[in-house]
Amino acid sequence: MTSPSERKAWRARLLRRLVFRRTCAHCWTLLVYAFNFLLAGLVLVLAVTLLSRDIPVPDILVDRIETELRRRGLEFGVASARFDPTGRIYVTGLQLRPSRFGEPIFEAARALITLDRLKLLALKPDLAELEIEDVKLLCPASISPSGIPETVARIATGRIRHAGGLWTIDALVGQIDQLTINAHGSYTAAPPRPEGKPPDIEMLLDAFAEYAPRAVRYEQHLDAVELPFLEIEFAGSLHAGVAVDITFSAHRVFEKEYGEARHILLRAETTFGGTSQRPLVATARVGELRHPTFGHARNLRLQALWPQPPLGGASPWPERVDATLAHFRREQAAIAGAIIHARPREYPQISATLFTRFAGENIAATLRGDIESRSGAIDLRTRLGRDWLPALSRILGRDVTYYAAVDTPPDITAHATIAPGARLDHASFRVLSGPILARGVHLDRARVIGHGDLQDVYVDHMEIQRGDEWAIGTYHDHLPTRDIRIMLRGALRPMAIAPWFGDWWGRFWGDFAFPGPPPTFDVDIHNNWLRHDAYRLLGRTRAEQITCRGVAIDWLQSGFRVAHNFYDLFDASIGRPEGRVDGEVQLLYRTGQKDPLRQNWRFKSTADLVELAKIFGPGGEALFEPYRYSIPPAGVARGDIVNDAGKLDTDIDLVIASGNEFRYYDFPVDALSTDVSIRNNRVELPNLRAEYAGGLITARAVVVDDTLTVDARLEDADYDRAVSTFNAFLDRRNPPPPGEAEPSGFAARQINGRLDIEVSATGPLTDITGYEGRGNVRIRNGDLARFRLFGPIGDILRPIGIRIGTLQLTDAYSDFEIRKNEIYFPNLQFTGRTEAIQGEGTYRISDGALSFRMRLYPLRESDGALTQLFGALLDPVSNLIEMRLTGTLSDPKWTLTNNPFANVREPPPIPEKPAAPATEPSPPAQTEPPADAAPIDSAATPPAPESSSAPAPAAPETTGDTAGSGEETTPGHEAQSPAPVARPESSESLTAP
């Protein structure tokens, strides 16, 4: 038996079974009826579709689409939307209007849409195919640059297919202004996910609002493009990525500001999305490029590489850009081939490398910079080719080959820093050259290292070499003013680098030759490239084995200053074997004149000034021409000379001191010390001192307009040396005839006396016969003459202390007057121990002719009282004894007339002819004694008296009371004593500068 609860559960199960069976039966009946109705509806729909050509799209579908788009901020509108007989939707007047713009941004005149029918029945439309015509992409007025709606792009026709996630564009033909666009390709998308987010319409609209105005602006540049064409091809999937190939071509692009380009082809290849992304590679080819400023280029190829497409806010700048150029020309400059490697990835920071070839030489340059600030750095490496300067001359329109002619191209390395604003901030450079012709100067080697900016150029190291010459220095150029400064040291022959300087350099160094080693120098030069008169030069030099105007110099060293038309040599020294010269010289020139306007010099010397005077030209030679010496004297000189239109204003002071033989116009002195003062045509010697023949000459002389005025004194000179020296001087000035080569007469024996002379005279400097003046002469302690006068009477008087048999003359004195060609002696007096001879006469300078008349006073000079008494008694007899001196100094003629003692002397030899009566003295020009004069032989007794019957003179005395030999000597040397001081030559030689 069952319990009530079990029975109750059983009844409940039975009831559920009964209800389920009945329900299933009714549902099946309803399902059959529903299927029948569906089949009937489908039949009806197919019938209506077949019978109707214009079936409106259900409003529920249109409302569903509008609702979905409006929820995302887009207004959707169509003019009409109908099904065609094949079941596709034909739409006209399609528009999309974002609510943020209030104006349509997309318009399609016609669109044919094929939807997936099954999804369409589920009210989930899925596009299967889309064909569009006359589509416009618009830029609304609210964001348009012009303020009115602008068309961004037009699509003439296009067909898009979709099947199973594969999207295919068979042909999309559009146009942006004149640019024709053709796109085709396929893309496989991933199946949609239920939880997948729909596209972010706001982000797309933001991108559209940013790029649409740009596209409108860029469209105006398309007017300059001829036949532009853009082709887009793509293929791929979301998983593997979509490969895109974009190609742009144009026949010609012309912009007045940027120039012209022809035969343009641009291509970009990349992959978007997926796991196997390819880099973006963009390639550009231009057949010809012309720019009004940069020049003309042909066959330009450029390739840019991005590691991945610049999407999603990534940097749009490529990782690398490679460019090649077949040919480039700008004006007269041409580059055959160029390669550029750039890395702009870190824009605005970029780096680039350039390789090119110009005028036969390679150029490599590296650039690192900031594009936005236009700053950076450039490194350059190249060689200065042989044809660079001719090419640069063609570019600049003027010849710059003067600056250099290259044999071996020099290596050049440069670095430049560019400041913001594309301004040169700093540059450095390095040049190493082999043989080169630099501004007309051949160099074997050159090295230049420097730096600079827009204000200044500095060469920190400048080195040149040619043969045994070299120089090292620095260079500074201040570009705004073109002031330059050059500092050099080395060893160069100055005229070898004369082309680097102006005419002033040759005027300074042109008289020098350097056959020996090149002179060393250290020089500081200031100049200006724009002003030829702005140069200033300061330096020092030393040279060995040089010549100056043909004068050999062992060594020279000097400091020098040079400015426009001004030259200054200071601390200068010249060395020669015999001595040296130390001093300074300043020369001031007037532009266009060869001779200096002003000369100032100071020096002291122990060298041969006569030889060195050639350095100073004709003026210097004339200054020292009178002087000759075996050992150069010590001299100190100061001179200031002004040349006023050919008229010289001269102010010269000389101090000359010599302890050796010194000659003036060949007149010798043993030593000399004098000051010389030259003031234009006035020459003064205020304190001349000289040694002559063992004596001392003191003198003061003045020369004015070639007229000499001299006051001189000779003290304690050796008479024999003085006369022989003076005679030798006369013989050099006026050589004697061949028959008188050896001296005779007075010059044949020694006097051994001392000579004193005082003279004051005035006359022409160059004419010895034109002087006038007066003076006196004295001879002391000499052996002037000895002769026997009284014969046997002298022997009778000798025991009583009266020694008058032999006369010996030891002293002489006379005043004299210089009467141009003649010297007159009014009171010539010879004295001895007891005797005296007095007289007067003349000496003719031109030919040395003598004309003297003298009287003998035998006991006039005796010290004894008895002798003096006897001498006084003989004075009347002296008036009857007269001697005549004629002839010349080298051949004197003595005659004795009116001799009252002739009859008491020993008889002379029988004369060949009778004596003639006494006559007046012969004129000065007569050299032979008169016919009536009795000659006096230097080795015999005096001649017989005038009477022909007089007995012969006594034989010569041999007692030895004279010089031991009893020889009677002709008096006559006393006539020579005034001659050395009477001739103006001796004075002239000591006074003229």
Side-chain angles (χ1 to χ4, degrees):
M1 259 184 96
T2 59
S3 62
S5 59
E6 292 178 349
R7 289 193 296 271
K8 186 177 180 178
W10 180 80
R11 286 193 294 270
R13 287 196 297 272
L14 183 62
L15 180 62
R16 284 195 298 271
R17 290 176 183 171
L18 181 62
V19 172
F20 177 75
R21 290 176 182 173
R22 292 290 179 96
T23 301
C24 288
H26 288 298
C27 286
W28 174 254
T29 301
L30 290 175
L31 181 60
V32 171
Y33 283 122
F35 180 73
N36 290 333
F37 279 116
L38 179 59
L39 290 177
L42 290 176
V43 172
L44 180 61
V45 169
L46 291 176
V48 171
T49 301
L50 292 174
L51 296 176
S52 176
R53 298 183 58 184
D54 188 9
I55 302 174
V57 175
D59 292 337
I60 186 173
L61 181 59
V62 174
D63 292 341
R64 180 72 179 270
I65 295 174
E66 288 182 346
T67 301
E68 186 67 22
L69 293 177
R70 187 178 297 111
R71 187 171 60 87
R72 298 185 181 183
L74 293 176
E75 297 289 338
F76 173 78
V78 293
S80 63
R82 299 181 180 275
F83 289 102
D84 69 354
T86 61
R88 295 180 299 178
I89 301 174
Y90 180 71
V91 179
T92 61
L94 175 62
Q95 289 186 347
L96 288 177
R97 293 187 300 273
S99 57
R100 64 189 295 182
F101 300 135
E103 295 180 64
I105 61 172
F106 178 86
E107 290 183 356
R110 290 169 295 279
L112 188 61
I113 303 173
T114 301
L115 300 177
D116 189 323
R117 293 180 176 84
L118 295 178
K119 293 182 178 181
L120 181 62
L121 293 176
L123 297 180
K124 294 182 179 180
D126 188 7
L127 180 66
E129 184 175 339
L130 173 64
E131 295 183 19
I132 55 177
E133 295 181 0
D134 195 10
V135 177
K136 296 181 181 180
L137 185 63
L138 303 174
C139 179
S142 59
I143 60 174
S144 174
S146 62
I148 60 175
E150 298 279 355
T151 301
V152 176
R154 295 175 182 271
I155 300 176
T157 182
R159 182 183 179 187
I160 301 174
R161 293 183 291 114
H162 176 231
L166 176 64
W167 293 83
T168 303
I169 299 179
D170 293 330
L172 182 64
V173 179
Q175 196 169 11
I176 299 177
D177 196 33
Q178 301 183 35
L179 173 63
T180 300
I181 301 175
N182 184 4
H184 58 89
S186 61
Y187 165 68
T188 300
R193 297 178 181 179
E195 67 279 6
K197 296 182 180 180
D200 190 345
I201 299 299
E202 287 297 325
M203 184 183 68
L204 295 176
L205 291 178
D206 289 340
F208 178 82
E210 179 181 356
Y211 290 104
R214 295 185 185 180
V216 173
R217 294 188 185 96
Y218 292 153
E219 281 184 10
Q220 61 183 348
H221 298 293
L222 292 175
D223 296 336
V225 182
E226 293 183 6
L227 304 178
F229 180 78
L230 179 65
E231 183 179 8
I232 302 174
E233 182 179 359
F234 59 93
S237 65
L238 180 64
H239 176 73
V242 180
V244 180
D245 189 348
I246 302 174
T247 303
F248 172 83
S249 64
H251 175 69
R252 177 176 181 264
V253 177
F254 176 76
E255 282 281 354
K256 184 176 181 180
E257 181 178 357
Y258 300 103
E260 176 186 16
R262 291 179 178 271
H263 311 299
I264 304 162
L265 178 64
L266 307 178
R267 184 177 181 181
E269 300 176 86
T270 188
T271 299
F272 294 98
T275 57
S276 59
Q277 292 186 354
R278 289 191 306 168
L280 171 61
V281 179
T283 304
R285 292 186 178 90
V286 180
E288 185 177 11
L289 182 64
R290 296 178 182 272
H291 192 278
T293 302
F294 296 106
H296 176 208
R298 289 189 287 108
N299 296 334
L300 172 65
R301 183 181 183 276
L302 187 146
Q303 186 178 73
L305 173 66
W306 287 261
Q308 58 185 13
L311 299 176
S315 173
W317 299 100
E319 174 71 22
R320 187 181 71 204
V321 176
D322 299 325
T324 60
L325 181 66
H327 181 82
F328 173 80
R329 176 176 292 276
R330 181 181 183 273
E331 296 180 352
Q332 300 297 327
I335 294 177
I339 301 175
I340 301 174
H341 301 287
R343 294 185 176 275
R345 181 67 174 176
E346 302 298 328
Y347 183 88
Q349 302 294 324
I350 66 168
S351 63
T353 303
L354 167 68
F355 298 94
T356 186
R357 189 171 181 84
F358 174 70
E361 296 296 336
N362 295 324
I363 301 175
T366 302
L367 170 67
R368 300 177 299 278
D370 188 301
I371 296 297
E372 292 183 352
S373 64
R374 293 186 297 169
S375 62
I378 301 174
D379 292 296
L380 177 69
R381 298 176 302 280
T382 184
R383 302 177 71 192
L384 179 63
R386 295 181 180 88
D387 300 328
W388 277 33
L389 293 177
L392 185 60
S393 299
R394 293 190 296 269
I395 294 172
L396 299 178
R398 63 186 183 92
D399 185 16
V400 297
T401 58
Y402 167 74
Y403 292 97
V406 178
D407 294 331
T408 302
D411 296 322
I412 300 175
T413 303
H415 173 81
T417 302
I418 310 300
R423 295 181 301 103
L424 178 65
D425 177 65
H426 183 269
S428 61
F429 49 89
R430 184 186 186 96
V431 180
L432 177 61
S433 173
I436 187 174
L437 180 65
R439 290 192 65 186
V441 177
H442 287 278
L443 301 176
D444 298 334
R445 178 175 172 271
R447 181 193 299 271
V448 176
I449 302 175
H451 66 282
D453 52 30
L454 293 177
Q455 294 290 322
D456 298 275
V457 175
Y458 298 91
V459 176
D460 303 314
H461 181 82
M462 179 170 57
E463 179 181 348
I464 60 175
Q465 183 175 355
R466 45 169 286 157
D468 59 347
E469 302 174 77
W470 62 275
I472 298 176
T474 62
Y475 172 88
H476 174 214
D477 189 342
H478 187 57
L479 298 178
T481 61
R482 296 315 312 274
D483 289 328
I484 65 172
R485 183 182 185 185
I486 304 174
M487 301 181 70
L488 287 176
R489 63 179 178 86
L492 288 175
R493 293 176 177 87
M495 292 308 297
I497 57 174
W500 291 353
F501 306 93
D503 296 338
W504 61 271
W505 186 265
R507 184 165 59 186
F508 187 72
W509 293 107
D511 294 326
F512 290 87
F514 301 90
T520 61
F521 66 91
D522 191 343
V523 64
D524 187 352
I525 303 173
H526 296 256
N527 204 349
N528 185 283
W529 288 115
L530 306 179
R531 294 171 50 202
H532 71 281
D533 59 348
Y535 61 85
R536 289 168 294 148
L537 184 147
L538 174 65
R540 298 196 64 85
T541 184
R542 179 179 174 87
E544 298 180 355
Q545 302 177 24
I546 67 175
T547 61
C548 180
R549 293 188 175 180
V551 179
I553 299 174
D554 289 352
W555 58 267
L556 177 150
Q557 64 182 18
S558 176
F560 52 86
R561 285 184 288 262
V562 181
H564 179 58
N565 288 336
F566 176 74
Y567 304 86
D568 179 14
L569 276 72
F570 59 92
D571 295 338
S573 298
I574 295 176
R576 285 172 53 89
E578 73 278 3
R580 60 183 289 170
V581 179
D582 300 289
E584 60 183 55
V585 178
Q586 293 85 36
L587 301 176
L588 177 64
Y589 286 82
R590 180 173 291 161
T591 302
Q593 289 188 355
K594 180 180 179 180
D595 297 325
L597 174 65
R598 179 184 294 275
Q599 305 177 49
N600 306 100
W601 38 267
R602 313 282 188 277
F603 67 83
K604 59 181 180 179
S605 170
T606 58
D608 187 350
L609 292 178
V610 174
E611 181 70 14
L612 291 174
K614 299 176 183 178
I615 296 176
F616 299 97
E621 292 184 89
L623 182 63
F624 293 100
E625 192 276 335
Y627 305 115
R628 294 294 183 269
Y629 33 75
S630 57
I631 299 177
V636 178
R638 178 205 64 82
D640 300 293
I641 303 174
V642 178
N643 185 348
D644 185 7
K647 183 180 179 181
L648 296 181
D649 184 2
T650 304
D651 184 1
I652 299 175
D653 292 324
L654 303 175
V655 177
I656 301 175
S658 174
N660 303 283
E661 182 185 20
F662 190 90
R663 295 174 180 269
Y664 176 75
Y665 283 118
D666 207 32
F667 185 85
V669 295
D670 297 329
L672 175 70
S673 173
T674 184
D675 295 342
V676 182
S677 176
I678 304 174
R679 304 292 185 269
N680 294 331
N681 59 345
R682 181 180 178 88
V683 180
E684 294 186 11
L685 287 79
N687 55 350
L688 183 146
R689 295 176 63 87
E691 295 181 9
Y692 177 72
L696 177 63
I697 296 176
T698 57
R700 181 182 184 278
V702 177
V703 179
V704 179
D705 292 331
D706 293 330
T707 299
L708 171 64
T709 300
V710 60
D711 294 319
R713 173 181 293 180
L714 172 61
E715 298 178 322
D716 199 29
D718 186 294
Y719 176 85
D720 296 311
R721 286 177 56 192
V723 172
S724 62
T725 301
F726 186 72
N727 285 339
F729 164 71
L730 293 179
D731 289 342
R732 286 191 297 269
R733 296 291 297 269
N734 187 17
E740 298 182 5
E742 295 296 331
S744 60
F746 294 156
R749 60 185 302 273
Q750 297 293 318
I751 302 301
N752 297 324
R754 310 305 294 181
L755 176 64
D756 299 325
I757 299 175
E758 291 187 13
V759 62
S760 296
T762 300
L765 184 63
T766 58
D767 185 5
I768 196 173
T769 63
Y771 282 80
E772 294 181 346
R774 63 181 59 251
N776 61 78
V777 58
R778 181 184 300 275
I779 302 174
R780 296 177 287 106
N781 303 324
D783 187 8
L784 300 179
R786 286 176 292 174
F787 55 88
R788 299 185 65 183
L789 183 62
F790 296 106
I793 298 177
D795 297 334
I796 296 172
L797 298 177
R798 184 179 297 112
I800 63 174
I802 302 175
R803 302 175 60 87
I804 61 172
T806 300
L807 300 181
Q808 182 177 1
L809 304 178
T810 60
D811 299 287
Y813 173 83
S814 179
D815 297 325
F816 57 83
E817 296 179 8
I818 303 175
R819 302 172 179 176
K820 295 188 176 178
N821 191 36
E822 185 179 79
I823 301 177
Y824 172 62
F825 295 86
N827 55 349
L828 179 59
Q829 179 178 339
F830 293 90
T831 60
R833 185 177 56 184
T834 59
E835 55 279 334
I837 295 178
Q838 295 181 356
E840 62 177 343
T842 61
Y843 167 73
R844 193 161 57 228
I845 298 173
S846 59
D847 55 7
L850 304 173
S851 179
F852 284 88
R853 179 178 295 176
M854 301 180 184
R855 290 182 175 86
L856 173 63
Y857 298 92
L859 302 176
R860 177 68 63 85
E861 300 298 322
S862 175
D863 294 333
L866 181 60
T867 305
Q868 289 185 359
L869 176 60
F870 188 75
L873 296 175
L874 291 178
D875 280 348
V877 180
S878 298
N879 294 326
L880 301 177
I881 301 177
E882 181 178 279
M883 290 182 292
R884 295 283 306 279
L885 175 61
T886 58
T888 63
L889 287 177
S890 60
D891 186 17
K893 305 296 184 181
W894 284 92
T895 59
L896 184 62
T897 61
N898 300 329
N899 188 353
F901 305 101
N903 55 353
V904 297
R905 299 175 62 186
E906 296 179 1
I910 300 175
E912 296 178 0
K913 59 181 179 179
T919 59
E920 292 296 323
S922 61
Q926 182 178 344
T927 59
E928 294 295 331
D932 59 347
I936 300 178
D937 188 76
S938 60
T941 57
E946 298 178 2
S947 174
S948 61
S949 61
E957 183 175 290
T958 59
T959 57
D961 57 349
T962 59
S965 63
E967 181 183 359
E968 295 178 359
T969 306
T970 304
H973 281 281
E974 67 278 6
Q976 297 185 42
S977 57
V981 296
R983 291 177 63 90
E985 290 93 335
S986 61
S987 300
E988 181 185 10
S989 65
L990 300 176
T991 56

